[in-house]
Every structure is written in C-alpha cells, then in structure tokens.
C-alpha cells in the first residue's frame, strides 16, 4: 500500500490498495483509530471493497461473528469479544430515503456506544453527526480484473481535526 508523499491535510490521506488482503489490512489499521461513537461512511462502486474493509475493521475491533454484507438485512450488530465497542454494520444501498428511513434502525441510539459503519450512506446518515470518517474507494469499472483501488480517507469534525490519518499507510 502506498501513500502519496504529502497528504492534503492531516485529516485526509490517500492510499493505493492492490489486493483484497491489503484492503482488509487497511481495515485492521483503521480499527486502531476508532472508538465508541465513531461513524464511518463507506462509498464506492459495487465490488470496490467496502465489505472487505469492514471485515478488517471487525477483526481489528475484535468483534464476534463473520462480517458479511448486510445488503438484505440492512444492518448487523457484532458485539465485542474483548470489552470494546460493538460494530454496527449497515448497508444503505436498498434504502432510498434519507435519515427518516434510517430512523427505524435506531442508529442515533447505537452510535454513542458503538462504531457504526455505513456502506452507501452518503445523503442518508450525515445528520447523525458532523464528526465522521468518510472512506471513498475507487476502482476501475468495466470488464477488468484489476485489483487496484484508490482509497481516500477524510476525517470531518473536531474528532478528526488533528488526526494523522497517514498512519493508515503501511
């Protein structure tokens, strides 16, 4: 995984990931920065690696259960096996509305004591908190077997203002 010589600011970093294993490793490293109350929004094309990254987050947080795509159940809660925060993994792909439709998931109740990761959350969960981590994963689209992904991690709000996200590069 490579990071550019200089990130645009301390609360943003760009990485190049060349395999699913590296995406999972990135999730494990990201987990070290997270704590209860953190919201992580993941965006990217289908097959970009959002769930693979979340699987690494789950491993890094030490949660119970296999982290798989919650596309059809919308949300899964993975309790911690070591006294840390649970991981709430949400796939908002099938939800068309904004926060109103998300209210049934009670994310506002879960957020203070959990790490909440929302795939396809843009335009749907920003109102939960101004302090969030946005992870954008870009991959080549079309008929390609290219595993290369460009990942941009941006911290928003006071929680992430002084964060050095460049530690995510290994």
């Amino acid at each position: 995984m490579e990071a550019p010589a200089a990130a645009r600011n301390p609360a943003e970093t760009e990485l190049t990931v060349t395999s699913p294993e590296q995406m999972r490793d990135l999730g494990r490293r990201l987990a070290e920065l997270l704590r209860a109350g953190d919201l992580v929004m993941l965006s990217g094309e289908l097959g970009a690696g959002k769930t693979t990254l979340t699987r690494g987050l789950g491993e890094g947080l030490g949660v119970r259960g296999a982290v798989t795509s919650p596309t059809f159940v919308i949300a899964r809660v993975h309790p911690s096996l070591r006294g840390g925060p649970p991981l709430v993994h949400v796939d908002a792909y099938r939800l068309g509305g904004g926060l109103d439709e998300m209210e049934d998931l009670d994310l506002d109740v879960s957020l203070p004591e959990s790490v909440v990761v929302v795939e396809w959350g843009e335009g749907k969960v920003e109102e939960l908190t101004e302090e969030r981590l946005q992870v954008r994963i870009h991959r080549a689209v079309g008929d390609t077997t290219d595993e290369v992904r460009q990942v941009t991690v941006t911290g928003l709000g006071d929680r992430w203002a002084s964060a050095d996200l460049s530690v995510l590069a290994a």
Side-chain angles (χ1 to χ4, degrees):
M1 196 170 329
E2 301 171 16
R8 285 189 288 249
N9 65 54
E12 181 171 282
T13 193
E14 293 182 12
L15 308 160
T16 299
V17 175
T18 61
S19 70
E21 293 79 20
Q22 283 188 356
M23 187 67 76
R24 207 164 167 166
D25 288 343
L26 175 58
R28 285 186 204 103
R29 285 193 305 281
L30 183 56
E32 294 175 18
L33 300 177
L34 299 175
R35 63 182 187 218
D38 284 340
L39 172 65
V40 180
M41 289 178 38
L42 304 179
S43 62
E45 297 87 1
L46 285 170
K50 296 177 295 294
T51 300
T52 301
L53 177 77
T54 307
R55 192 169 293 124
L57 275 171
E59 292 169 6
L61 291 170
V63 299
R64 185 180 72 213
V67 175
T68 60
S69 178
T71 299
F72 295 103
V73 295
I74 309 300
R76 284 196 172 96
V77 178
H78 298 275
S80 176
L81 293 172
R82 56 184 187 215
L87 171 65
V88 178
H89 184 199
V90 179
D91 187 330
Y93 183 74
R94 297 191 182 283
L95 301 178
L99 190 58
D100 291 342
E101 195 169 348
M102 300 291 285
E103 280 183 2
D104 289 338
L105 300 176
D106 287 332
L107 293 181
D108 55 336
V109 174
S110 300
L111 186 58
E113 69 267 358
S114 305
V115 170
V116 176
V117 176
V118 182
E119 297 184 29
W120 305 98
E122 288 183 331
K124 298 174 183 167
V125 297
E126 289 90 340
E127 294 175 35
L128 286 173
T129 179
E130 293 179 5
E131 299 185 343
R132 62 187 176 276
L133 204 58
Q134 289 188 271
V135 180
R136 290 188 169 87
I137 305 170
H138 178 75
R139 71 172 184 95
V141 293
D143 187 19
T144 180
T145 58
D146 189 358
E147 294 289 341
V148 175
R149 308 292 194 260
Q150 300 301 321
V151 181
T152 304
V153 182
T154 306
L156 301 170
D158 291 340
R159 158 79 172 96
W160 298 102
S162 62
D164 181 10
L165 298 178
S166 67
V167 301
L168 296 174

